[in-house]
Amino acid sequence: MKRTISHYILTMTAAGILATGCGKKLDQVNPNAQTSETFWQTGNDAVQGINAAYAPLLLDGTYMRFTPILLDVRGDDIRSNSPWTAISGVGKFALGTGNADGYGWAFDEYYEGIFRCNQVLDNVPAISMAEDQKNRVLGQAYFLRGLYFFHLVNMFGNVALPTTTPQSKADFYGKQMTAQEGWDQVISDFKAAADLLPVSYKDVNGADANQVGRATKGAAMGYLGKAYLFNKKYPEAAEQFRKVIDLGVYSLMPDYKDNFTESKENNAESIFEVQFSTTVGGTDLGWQGIPTSTWAKTSARAITYGAPNFGWTDVQPTMFVFNEFMQEKTVDDQTDPRLGATIFYNKPGEMIYGQPFAQVYANSSYLNDIFCRKYENGDGNKPNEYDWKSGINERLMRYADILLMYAECLNEQSQTALAAPYIQQVRTRAKLPDITATLAVMTQTQMRDQLAHERLLEFCLEGHRFDDIRRWGWLQDESKLALLKSRDPEFNNYKAGKELYPIPQGEIDNNPGFKQNASY
């Protein structure tokens, strides 16, 4: 049984009201529940409080289901023919403000997480407890708040940035800030987290000793670097990625597939992952609202992305990315092993949930189609995903990403030759030929294209591709946008401004002065 943070996530009702958006509140108060005045008394309360701040990561709008959808489906590596427009409309850039299913749930649940982090940051400093553990609790709160803000600013742009617990009804109506102010807050939070967090929890004393899944110094520095990268602050980003590398605690797993299975979670490559489990909590599926002790700590990603007969097939890879995997053979003249770990397809000996692929889809159009394999329980240990309960952790950041982001920063600083070995590390794990010498003499532009290819194959179905496309400026480059349209016809619907999701209309209505994103 996994002993991770998921075992310790509790429903915290310490505050008399629970914010699920920056302009919303729940007025009903349980008279038997603790309040913020009575709860925050001991070090144990502080740990319970930070545990509760992790809980929104497991909700339907976040990593249980919709955040992976919102991050994945708009890339040229992913398509959706889902009958539910909350999913298919993501890739087609066709979401509107009239129905906030999916993206609105994510918006609300990020703020739920921020609210809980703010409770910790407001109340824990005054608690008498071991100083080192207090620092770890506060560091986790800064990290998680930075992560929730990261998603809000990246996906929605100009949002409210509450950094304290609301004390009155008026406090719930947060001012709409600029995206740059949002990024500044994200960077500030990750900086604070990096200063307070330990490299690991193996040698600490306290209730959090030896617990995996909690935010670490490496995770904070990795996300700080990513925030800098998204703002094109390449020297600052490179400094953080170099620090993560120099910690000496991360390495690439020998088998790429180990990063997406339940048996190899929290491994040497993991920088930060969301902890799911089939053995923790209750049996009820957790959707939206205030969690209860009956909610399971499981993911619905597997059924949502699952192949026909085994899941809903709401998300599929594109043929473009499949063909990209076929462009280069391994050193032993085989197909890139990342393809088989990422995609189910009709190849000799292919098995899907313990059955021959060719037999399952015989005489069907599915026989020549391709389906998601990454994060699926498809190796035969489950008959299908229709129980809606997967225990596979969602890996938010891997060491491979640190290496390739560091290489990108070096290239953008005209240090292309220095970037080459870091790219080759990732290629070598995939058994691809050593082209370090070729990479080292590329022009900066050639290296950008090479990195785009390498990141596409390494991170397909991991929520990075559209963010990469955005920050590289491809949506504003006519030739690049035409290329995207040829790879994925869903890009024919793209219009300037649609790179952001709409702010849920309820937030606009409830929060005076809030303006909707352009093009909605």
Side-chain angles (χ1 to χ4, degrees):
M1 185 168 66
K2 294 186 292 187
R3 302 304 298 180
T4 68
I5 182 61
S6 63
H7 281 72
Y8 304 95
I9 289 174
L10 304 175
T11 302
M12 188 174 69
T13 57
I17 46 180
L18 174 65
T20 57
C22 58
K24 304 170 188 171
K25 68 186 181 71
L26 182 67
D27 287 313
Q28 296 177 349
V29 180
N30 179 353
N32 299 313
Q34 289 179 310
T35 67
S36 57
E37 288 75 24
T38 63
F39 179 79
W40 300 98
Q41 304 296 322
T42 68
N44 185 58
D45 295 340
V47 173
Q48 288 189 53
I50 194 58
N51 290 350
Y54 284 89
L57 293 174
L58 277 62
L59 298 180
D60 190 27
T62 54
Y63 281 94
M64 178 185 173
R65 182 169 56 160
F66 260 96
T67 290
I69 290 169
L70 297 173
L71 292 173
D72 270 331
V73 176
R74 293 190 296 179
D76 57 350
D77 55 337
I78 307 297
R79 58 192 160 122
S80 175
N81 293 309
S82 173
W84 190 12
T85 55
I87 298 177
S88 58
V90 172
K92 295 178 175 62
F93 301 93
L95 296 176
T97 60
N99 185 343
D101 286 358
Y103 74 86
W105 304 340
F107 186 91
D108 284 355
E109 287 158 18
Y110 299 147
Y111 278 110
E112 182 175 332
I114 291 164
F115 178 82
R116 295 184 180 198
C117 291
N118 285 341
Q119 285 184 300
V120 172
L121 293 168
D122 287 346
N123 291 285
V124 168
I127 294 177
S128 178
M129 59 185 293
E131 199 66 21
D132 58 343
Q133 186 169 39
K134 179 185 289 188
N135 286 340
R136 294 196 299 274
V137 167
L138 294 173
Q140 289 171 83
Y142 280 118
F143 174 83
L144 291 170
R145 191 175 72 177
L147 182 62
Y148 293 126
F149 276 143
F150 186 104
H151 285 321
L152 281 165
V153 175
N154 186 45
M155 292 184 188
F156 297 94
N158 301 335
V159 296
L161 304 168
T163 56
T164 60
T165 306
Q167 299 300 311
S168 67
K169 181 176 180 179
D171 293 339
F172 279 92
Y173 297 97
K175 178 184 176 182
Q176 189 174 27
M177 311 297 279
T178 67
Q180 188 55 61
E181 289 173 319
W183 283 117
D184 290 344
Q185 184 61 54
V186 169
I187 288 169
S188 175
D189 280 353
F190 286 139
K191 278 183 176 179
D195 288 339
L196 293 168
L197 289 171
V199 174
S200 80
Y201 291 78
K202 291 180 180 179
D203 299 318
V204 304
N205 295 312
D208 54 355
N210 297 310
Q211 290 181 10
V212 297
R214 293 186 181 275
T216 62
K217 184 179 292 292
M221 293 190 300
Y223 267 98
L224 176 56
K226 186 172 181 177
Y228 280 134
L229 178 63
F230 276 37
N231 286 270
K232 301 186 185 304
K233 295 183 177 182
Y234 301 113
E236 295 89 341
E239 179 184 9
Q240 296 305 315
F241 298 141
R242 183 73 249 177
K243 286 181 178 179
V244 176
I245 294 168
D246 288 344
L247 286 176
V249 298
Y250 303 108
S251 60
L252 298 178
M253 292 293 287
D255 188 345
Y256 174 79
K257 188 177 179 182
D258 285 343
N259 291 303
F260 317 105
T261 63
E262 192 169 3
S263 63
K264 298 291 185 179
E265 294 171 341
N266 302 299
N267 61 44
E269 190 166 342
S270 176
I271 306 292
F272 186 71
E273 57 192 79
V274 176
Q275 308 291 313
F276 291 103
S277 175
T278 57
T279 63
V280 174
T283 58
D284 295 338
L285 296 173
W287 301 111
Q288 296 88 41
I290 302 175
T292 73
S293 60
T294 65
W295 282 15
K297 303 296 187 290
T298 51
S299 168
R301 175 184 175 124
I303 186 173
T304 304
Y305 286 49
N309 298 5
F310 307 101
W312 299 132
T313 325
D314 287 318
V315 177
Q316 290 180 257
T318 59
M319 289 306 301
F320 155 68
V321 73
F322 178 87
N323 291 331
E324 284 292 297
F325 274 112
M326 294 295 192
Q327 293 301 310
E328 189 176 9
K329 292 289 189 180
T330 64
V331 292
D332 51 358
D333 199 35
Q334 300 297 309
T335 301
D336 188 326
R338 294 175 296 185
L339 173 59
T342 304
I343 296 174
F344 282 119
Y345 65 103
N346 188 18
K347 65 180 180 183
E350 178 76 304
M351 301 291 289
I352 180 169
Y353 289 85
Q355 303 178 51
F357 185 100
Q359 180 178 313
V360 170
Y361 299 125
N363 304 314
S364 165
S365 60
Y366 297 141
L367 184 63
N368 296 314
D369 208 341
I370 58 176
F371 307 104
C372 301
R373 179 168 192 156
K374 192 175 284 186
Y375 287 115
E376 298 292 317
N377 298 282
D379 289 336
N381 56 318
K382 289 182 67 174
N384 55 58
E385 302 289 353
Y386 291 124
D387 62 357
W388 286 83
K389 295 177 180 178
S390 173
I392 301 176
N393 288 358
E394 187 82 18
R395 279 71 159 184
L396 272 60
M397 182 176 284
R398 296 191 283 114
Y399 186 58
D401 198 12
I402 297 292
L403 294 174
L404 292 185
M405 288 191 292
Y406 184 54
E408 183 175 341
C409 290
L410 293 173
N411 185 55
E412 292 303 323
Q413 296 177 85
S414 301
Q415 300 176 54
T416 302
L418 296 179
Y422 297 99
I423 297 171
Q424 187 57 46
Q425 282 189 54
V426 177
R427 289 175 52 84
T428 297
R429 194 258 299 277
K431 299 182 180 180
L432 295 180
D434 189 340
I435 58 170
T436 304
T438 301
L439 294 171
V441 296
M442 283 184 173
T443 66
Q444 186 180 62
T445 299
Q446 289 172 329
M447 180 61 91
R448 286 172 180 159
D449 289 340
Q450 185 69 34
L451 276 163
H453 171 76
E454 301 291 350
R455 289 187 62 82
L456 172 69
L457 301 190
E458 180 68 19
F459 302 118
C460 179
L461 286 168
E462 294 184 60
H464 295 313
R465 182 63 175 178
F466 186 74
D467 280 345
D468 287 347
I469 287 168
R470 279 181 59 193
R471 63 190 180 79
W472 292 333
W474 288 15
L475 298 174
Q476 291 75 44
D477 183 319
E478 289 187 10
S479 62
K480 290 292 189 182
L481 184 56
L483 186 64
L484 292 171
K485 291 177 180 178
S486 70
R487 294 171 172 178
D488 181 358
E490 292 175 324
F491 276 92
N492 288 313
N493 300 312
Y494 171 76
K495 293 181 175 61
K498 293 289 188 180
E499 60 270 18
L500 294 174
Y501 288 105
I503 294 172
Q505 190 60 41
E507 197 68 23
I508 302 292
D509 296 341
N510 292 335
N511 208 332
F514 250 64
K515 294 182 180 180
Q516 185 56 267
N517 286 328
S519 81
Y520 291 102

